[in-house]
Amino acid sequence: MFKEFKFFPEQASTLAGEVDLLFYFLIAVSVFFSSLIFFLIYVFAVRYRRRSEDEKPQQIPGMLKLELAWSIIPLILTMIVFVWGATIYFDSYTPPKDAMEVYVVGKQWMWHIQHPTGQREINELHIPVNQPVKLTMATEDVIHSFYVPAFRVKKDVVPGRYTTMWFEATKTGEFHLFCAEYCGTKHSAMIGKVVVQEPAAYQDWLSGGTQNEPLEVIGEKKFQQFACQTCHADKPNSRGPSLVGIFGESIKLQNGQSVVVDEEYIRESVLEPNSKVAAGYKPVMPTFKGQVSEVSLLQITAYIKSLAKGGSN
Amino acid sequence: MSTAVFKPRPDQMGDNNEKKTSYLTAGFNIRSWLLTVDHKRIAILYLLSLTFFFFLGGMFAVLIRLELITPAGDLMQAETYNKMFTMHGVVMVFFFLIPSIPAVFGNFLVPLMIGAKDLAFPRINLLSWYLFMFGGMLGFAAIIFGGVDTGWTFYTPYSSTYANSNVILAALGAFFAGFSSILTGLNFIATIHKMRAPGMTWFRMPLFIWAHYATSIIQILGTPVVAITIILVALERLFHIGIFDPKLGGDPILFQHLFWFYSHPAVYIMILPSMGVISEVITCFSKKKIFGYEFIAFSSLGIAVLGFLVWGHHMYTSGQSIYVSLVFSVLTFLVAIPSAIKVFNWTATLYKGSVSYDAPMLYAIGFIGLFTIGGLTGVFLATLGVNVHVHDTYFIVAHFHYIMVGGAIMGYMAALHFWWPKITGRLYPEVWARVASFVIFFGFHLTFFPQFIVGYLGMPRRYHAYPEEFQIWNILSSAGASILGLGYLIPLIYFIWSLKYGERASANPWNAKGLEWEKADSPPTQFNFDKTPIVDQEVYDY
């Protein structure tokens, strides 16, 4: 029953060691201060115990130097920890450019995962070792949170927007994947595993099983299924702007501002088409809210992304 | 100070000559209790109701710990388990911890400590108890009619759109309890400003009063925000007005901002009064002036003010801007400083004192021990890089129980043991009280320390079933909980016993300083003092 009796979780990502180092430092500081307090209380408690009822202890109202010392020393220590912690947080925020992209959709009570190559998984995420992986995440219903303890990463998946996270596994093996934000009845069953493989094994996994169409091909089908191309055709005088070559670019809006076309902007344009209309076009697009699922949205996004890569520019 | 303070209320003119009647014997029928405007009787009403809610909330905790002994969810269904932790949280936070010390000991002691006859608004004080009870009954009804399963945090859109349980009833319960809290805060601020006895200057006030003053500011400024938030959730749930659910055009993160804007300061509503209690107890049982009076007093205010600026540290993983997280992180580190100042000053107070170890002192020392660990682990959580890993795990659960149970409830127990002779006029059996304090201290550590470890290992909170490798820590925790539960039952028994069989207490059994000990009887007379006390001593003049 008790196979392992461990105090610290496995370190299986580039981030894990950094987080643990800071954690050990915090433990050291805490042990020092709590030992100091407990030791002093113990010593005073024994040494100055009441020996007779009519003792008159010497009265000491306070001492400014001491007050300053125990305000300033903790202040300096906490500021060191603040900067250290913030550095880790900032570093873990921006994914490297060569990160492999995976799309995650949470829904009560499962994780739906799509790879750019078209593989889909439920409650499992296969990734290659030593390769940065960026997740773009959405939810169909309530808030979930994607948590892999062995990687020391966690990010909420929030309805109405995309959130992203990234990590780089440093060890092969299987690691827990938990939903960390309470999401209803079967919250504790919304768990799975991250399977980290050697690149060769990962390639085998990719090519194994049923033949999958790449995500962008599925996305293209959805694009046509929702008849997007009737307006967004890549030719002059279409009712909507051409989507070729726009992903990652900055475009001008009707109101004179500009916006970078990213996942969030595409999502917003499908669900709230009139909130940021491209310059030179009329706000005539109907909303697809309630008709298109988060999964399809991510597929369509992948298609639009592929237009940027291969396209006519 | 105003002399109007001691003008008897018209309805009590007749009783004024019976000065030696204690507040307990001033009337025996049920009416004399339920319609009382005496701050001391209202405190007793709160004490009885809060004891009920404490054991109700504790019962849910027992069921949670029983379920978690095994990794599989085998004792109850997931839905039932979710209701258990929700109701444990709702009952303990809104119907026990937030009112606890202010409503019982604040009500009883604020007028006594500053030499007043009652609070500034006695009838509003009674109203606040009725509001609390109405809220409590709504919360209780939510439980009877099948419970709530949103977690005590009521996160949207789960609470506003998806949950199929009595969200509205439970939330309204918290709403009304909140108004009770606002009125209590209002009453304390008015009383402390206007009703101090002659000579009771601001810096002669006991630190208990400073702590309650700071708490009251939070109650008045913070609680209306959670009231509004609850109304917004109700509007969305009942009328589908889009505020938090993106499908209706709302923003779920907005809820978290509004919720924590109150609920983080609410933690200080729980802990500040406790700190006030500890300051009183430490001085009394070391027969010493408190070390650094002004620093402790102003650190309470510092906590109250800074406490309003740190709510975003609950949301580092929510997808809020990293720059926002940065600001909240640095402010959170700053709020650690005033808490550290208090702990150091209490410790320094013992130096060269005449220290005795009666039960209240044991609880107070227990408080320092537990609060120090709770506070230091709070620093872990303020740290951006570490928080991401431990957020929403048992590490957090352990941390806030060290603050709320280890801090707030240890303080509550210290207060109960310290002022019990004053409140009831009886002494409790000291030996049992000492035994209970050790049982609670040991049971507490065994319950919650393993949760730090299992949290860092990655066990998420609010899990009905969990992977096997976490079991050993959960077994330890459940074992500790059974000891802790026993520890809370022992005082229940000897306190009740003492009401009939306890030795009669003198006016000042601890030889403590302070108007409530030196100038009032045990139990106090109906109007507290025979004549308005005049304060010519410095505070804690041991």
Side-chain angles (χ1 to χ4, degrees), chain A residues 15 18 22 78-94, chain B residues 316 322-323 325-330 333 380 382-388:
Chain A
L15 184 65
E18 291 179 44
L22 178 50
T78 52
M79 286 306 112
I80 292 172
V81 175
F82 162 69
V83 172
W84 190 345
T87 313
I88 294 177
Y89 186 72
F90 269 64
D91 287 351
S92 67
Y93 195 81
T94 325
Chain B
Y316 290 160
I322 50 174
Y323 302 102
S325 295
L326 199 68
V327 172
F328 280 120
S329 176
V330 76
F333 281 110
F380 288 56
T383 310
L384 286 159
V386 173
N387 176 288
V388 171

Side-chain angles (χ1 to χ4, degrees), chain A residues 158-180:
Chain A
V158 182
R161 66 181 69 171
Y162 289 131
T163 53
T164 59
M165 68 192 284
W166 79 274
F167 43 78
E168 181 179 337
T170 52
K171 248 187 211 176
T172 56
E174 294 186 353
F175 304 101
H176 285 299
L177 157 62
F178 294 128
C179 174

Side-chain angles (χ1 to χ4, degrees), chain A residues 199-214:
Chain A
Y202 175 71
Q203 286 306 326
D204 281 354
W205 177 80
L206 277 184
S207 53
T210 49
Q211 265 308 309
N212 289 291
E213 286 176 314

Side-chain angles (χ1 to χ4, degrees), chain B residues 53-65:
Chain B
F53 283 113
F54 176 72
F55 282 97
L56 180 70
M59 198 185 74
F60 295 128
V62 168
L63 292 169
I64 291 169
R65 284 318 323 170

Side-chain angles (χ1 to χ4, degrees), chain A residues 181-248:
Chain A
E181 184 63 66
Y182 175 67
C183 59
T185 309
K186 291 182 188 157
H187 168 55
S188 68
M190 192 166 163
I191 60 176
K193 59 187 176 189
V194 178
V195 183
V196 182
Q197 297 174 305
E198 291 295 346
Y202 175 71
Q203 286 306 326
D204 281 354
W205 177 80
L206 277 184
S207 53
T210 49
Q211 265 308 309
N212 289 291
E213 286 176 314
L215 206 55
E216 58 208 52
V217 176
I218 307 173
E220 185 175 7
K221 284 183 186 161
K222 293 273 165 76
F223 194 77
Q224 280 155 6
Q225 186 190 322
F226 286 104
C228 307
Q229 81 285 1
T230 38
C231 298
H232 292 287
D234 183 26
K235 55 187 177 200
N237 303 328
S238 303
R239 262 192 288 179
S242 161
L243 304 180
V244 173
I246 63 162
F247 193 87

